[in-house]
Amino acid sequence: MSGAYPRIDPHVHCRDWEQAYKATISSVMGLAASQGVSAVFDMPNTNPSIISLGLAKRRIETARQEGISGGYYLYLGVTGSAAQAAEAVSAHDSLPEVIGLKMFAGKSVGNLTVEESAQRTVYRSLAEIGYRGVLAVHCEKESLSMMRLWDQTDPKSWNAARPPFMEVEAVNEQILYAKEERFKGILHICHISVPEAVEAVHAARREIRITCGATPHHLMLSTADMDGLEGLRYKVNPPLREPLMASRLFEMLHDGMIDWIETDHAPHSPAEKALSELGEPMSGIPSLAGYAQFISNLQRSGFGEELIRSLTYLNIKRAFAKVTE
Ligand SMILES: [Zn+2]
């Protein structure tokens, strides 16, 4: 066993602000520390969404007021507007805490979805500005969803309503846009869940700068864990997949085809996750709470220390040159 070294979770939702009842920056940083994680990258689908230089500064100030002195970084959201992309890049270039940009190419929690017709524009704008940082993308092609197959009383039907090919098609499109618009940054595919999408990323590595990350829940859990109403706690975007797909994803992690682990830690209140007349049970799992346990699982499954260090630190540090941990 090697000695202690930093671990980074490059995908968490700290909530805070209007959603402080779910979590705060300081509560998520505290949880991270308890799990052996020294730095987190916060996602911008907060309320309000972090899409301007002013809001990025306000967010960093919130962290400071909560007593956070290091290890906190954030993404700025992109909206599809060229002017906003320029502002996002200037925030990235001027604020050390702004670690990258995030595009929701698919609907999830919050209202930051970039319409399919505007997604290519994001690559064009960033290429014109000469942005060389990370563009992290949530890949689910919304026009391919089959929401009529969603039955809240049968939680695993979420995988049928938001099927694997939604993700695969979105990944293929983002790769195409990055190539055709001559994007110079790193295209990062967030929370990859489908082996075919991992293969698409792998093939694209020859032509563009591209990475992908997987979550502990997509690697360790599957639709088989979603029986009964209890299964609603595992409703997440993209959905948990069939057991064979999840085990293949795990093999791909072991084979080095996935760049890093990202938890997509996404806390909600218990009432928001439950079936109720109030509306749709929300998507998201507080996966950071099981991080240390997950690392033990990897060790028990034959992952060597070098590989674990790459997946939890070195590969992340290589892509995000700004991180100081
Ligand atoms: Zn997320």
Side-chain angles (χ1 to χ4, degrees), residues 11-13 15 43-45 102 104 108-109 138 190-191 215 236-238 262-266:
H11 189 143
V12 302
H13 297 265
R15 310 300 193 199
M43 284 294 171
N45 58 335
K102 170 76 184 274
F104 287 84
S108 197
V109 174
H138 177 128
C190 297
H191 40 54
T215 70
V236 64
N237 299 339
E262 53 188 43
T263 67
D264 194 11
H265 178 70

Side-chain angles (χ1 to χ4, degrees), residues 67-82:
I68 305 304
S69 56
Y72 175 76
Y73 299 88
L74 69 153
Y75 293 86
L76 238 80
V78 292
T79 64
S81 134

